[in-house]
Every structure is written in structure tokens, then in C-alpha cells.
Amino acid sequence: MTDEQTLDLGPQARIVARLVAGVPEARLDDRTPCPDYTVGGLLAHLAHLTVAFRDAARKDLGPTTDTAPEAVVPPLPSAWRTTMPVHLDELADAWREPAAWTGMTRAGGVDLPGGVAAVVAVDELVVHGWDLARATGQEYVPDRAALDAAHAFLLEAAAEDDRGGGIFGPVVPIPSDAPLLDRAVGLSGRDPNWTPPKGG
């Protein structure tokens, strides 16, 4: 078992579920640090990726795992407040199975090793958790193990990419002595000092 296989997604999944529960209905059209998404769009993206990476862990490959994120902007499910916490729990449970970490699976239409898919899922929860918290004015302290894994993943991705664009966007330079969350956010192409624009 590798170090990554000891990672429990449950603590970070519960943090994201708390953030989801704290989103006011009036904020769904507000901007987020991720320029492609409003708060409602970000919630829809999270709802989609949670199910996709749950099914990737289960090796239940099909429409949920085969669709590239940029191929479709899924609508926000009408029952998102009740379904998303359930799916986040299912995501964490699915990655607690040792078989999820072995062999190949698929997510976002990309075939990749199970362990890599797990770390990508963790990164999505950590970074989009920050997006959601910052856009809606909620406190955010990610699970430290999840943050460590996300930062290592983003650091490796930055080293392999010229950062001229792509999935994460250009790195935002952050001092090496800055908090780890700020450094991870910068590696994801976001400004840790982002605040919602006036008027949403």
C-alpha cells in the first residue's frame, strides 16, 4: 500500500458538504474565483465530479466517467442540498476500498491509474472547496492530509507544464513562506487574495 492509499477522503468530503450546506440561495448567481463558474455553476460542477470520481473508484465506467468536464455544463440538480452530501459520503466510502486504488479507471473521459484518480479527486475537493468558501464568505480550513496531497499534485503538474494555460491556468507566484493553502491555490492558477466583486 502506498502513502496515497492511506489517504481518507472523508474529512475533506465532510468539509465540502458543510460548505455546500452554507450556500445561501441568493448567492447562486455570484462570481467565484474560477472564472468559468458562478456559485451555482461551481456547485453543479462539484455535483458532477463527485459522482464521476465515486464511479471511477468503483470502476463503474459509463456516462458519468466518460464525459470530459469541458464537454458539458451540467445543470444544478434541484435537490442539490440533499443529494450532494450523500454523494460526497459515497465518494469517500468508494475510495476506502483497496481495489479502488489498483489497476486503471476513468474520469473525465481520461483513462488513468486508480491512485492518480484518487489524488485528482482530492485536488478537486480542496481547490473547489476554497473557491466555494471564498465566493460565499465562509471559513475554510481544509483537511491537512488532503491539502498536502493536493499541493504535491499541483506542484508536480506545475513542474511538467509550461503554465501558459491548460486545465489549471497559469501559476500565480506565491512566496515560499506563505501558508500551504495559499501556495496550493496559487499553483491552481488562482489568486489567494481574491475577493468577490462588489455586487456579486
Side-chain angles (χ1 to χ4, degrees), residues 21-197:
V23 175
E25 293 286 337
R27 303 293 291 271
L28 293 180
D29 291 330
D30 286 5
R31 300 273 301 280
T32 74
C34 188
D36 291 338
Y37 295 119
T38 61
V39 170
L42 180 60
L43 286 168
H45 177 64
L46 274 166
H48 174 76
L49 74 85
T50 299
V51 170
F53 281 98
R54 176 202 67 190
D55 292 348
R58 295 172 175 175
K59 309 294 198 297
D60 183 11
L61 308 184
T64 63
T65 62
D66 292 355
T67 304
E70 65 274 11
V72 61
V73 178
L76 181 61
S78 59
W80 58 275
R81 288 194 186 275
T82 55
T83 58
M84 287 184 69
V86 172
H87 291 159
L88 283 161
D89 282 344
E90 292 174 348
L91 171 73
D93 286 343
W95 285 106
R96 291 187 180 111
E97 294 294 329
W101 298 79
T102 63
M104 297 294 292
T105 189
R106 187 180 306 131
V110 177
D111 292 324
L112 67 174
V116 174
V119 176
V120 174
V122 170
D123 176 64
E124 294 277 359
L125 293 179
V126 169
V127 174
H128 287 318
W130 181 85
D131 287 335
L132 189 59
R134 188 55 61 96
T136 58
Q138 299 187 66
E139 181 182 358
Y140 182 53
V141 180
D143 173 63
R144 182 54 192 245
L147 175 58
D148 285 343
H151 179 262
F153 170 76
L154 290 163
L155 196 62
E156 182 176 353
E160 295 176 353
D161 192 338
D162 63 12
R163 313 313 287 156
I167 187 169
F168 297 116
V171 165
V172 176
I174 305 297
S176 60
D177 60 350
L180 186 61
L181 179 58
D182 286 0
R183 285 180 276 150
V185 166
L187 287 167
S188 76
R190 292 153 169 78
D191 180 356
N193 295 315
W194 186 93
T195 56

